[in-house]
Amino acid sequence: MADLDKLVQELGKLSIIEASELVKKLEEEWGVSAAAPVAVAAAAPGAAVAAEAEEEQTEFDVVIKDPGPKKIEVIKAIRQLTSLGLKEAKEVAETEGGKVLEGVSKDAANDAKSKLEAAGATVELA
């Protein structure tokens, strides 16, 4: 059996892009979806409670819909907001639906959104 603590440490070293690619590969390899537990929870008897909890969202993802005409400025803004390198920031900027930040507070998400929009990107909070 694998040393789970060592595995957790190694996974913690992954960038956001690498972690996303890992999830996709695992989903393909195992034939599962990371969204499956959410669908099961929604079908459970406490679905009304789950729906109510979703209305009071406390964590947000900052998603780029379109980098706009000033792609270099957007890449610079992404690098300021994250610890991504130039290549990774460029990939996030060029990927439709690229997540700049995941699971951040509403204030942090709004701050990031305003910085990215000032750079010329079209941004959505999810």
Side-chain angles (χ1 to χ4, degrees):
M1 183 162 167
D3 182 7
L4 296 180
D5 291 332
K6 185 176 180 181
L7 183 60
V8 169
Q9 288 177 342
E10 289 299 315
L11 290 174
K13 295 176 186 176
L14 295 177
S15 70
I16 294 172
I17 301 287
E18 292 169 331
S20 175
E21 290 172 2
L22 174 62
V23 168
K24 288 177 187 174
K25 287 183 179 186
L26 291 175
E27 287 176 342
E28 290 172 8
E29 179 72 23
W30 294 341
V32 296
S33 173
V38 175
V40 172
V49 174
E52 191 175 308
E54 287 179 1
E55 291 177 18
E56 300 174 25
Q57 186 175 359
T58 57
E59 292 185 351
F60 297 86
D61 295 340
V62 180
V63 180
I64 291 187
K65 289 302 199 184
D66 180 30
K70 301 179 186 176
K71 194 181 303 183
I72 294 173
E73 295 300 319
V74 173
I75 293 169
K76 286 180 182 178
I78 291 171
R79 291 193 68 204
Q80 289 175 349
L81 294 167
T82 65
S83 61
L84 296 177
L86 180 60
K87 181 181 177 186
E88 291 87 2
K90 183 177 184 272
E91 288 174 4
V92 170
E94 292 176 342
T95 304
E96 184 175 327
K99 290 184 181 179
V100 178
L101 297 173
E102 294 184 50
V104 296
S105 69
K106 186 174 184 176
D107 292 337
N110 284 328
D111 182 50
K113 181 180 178 183
S114 64
K115 288 179 181 179
L116 289 165
E117 287 177 342
T122 303
V123 181
E124 176 184 85
L125 299 181

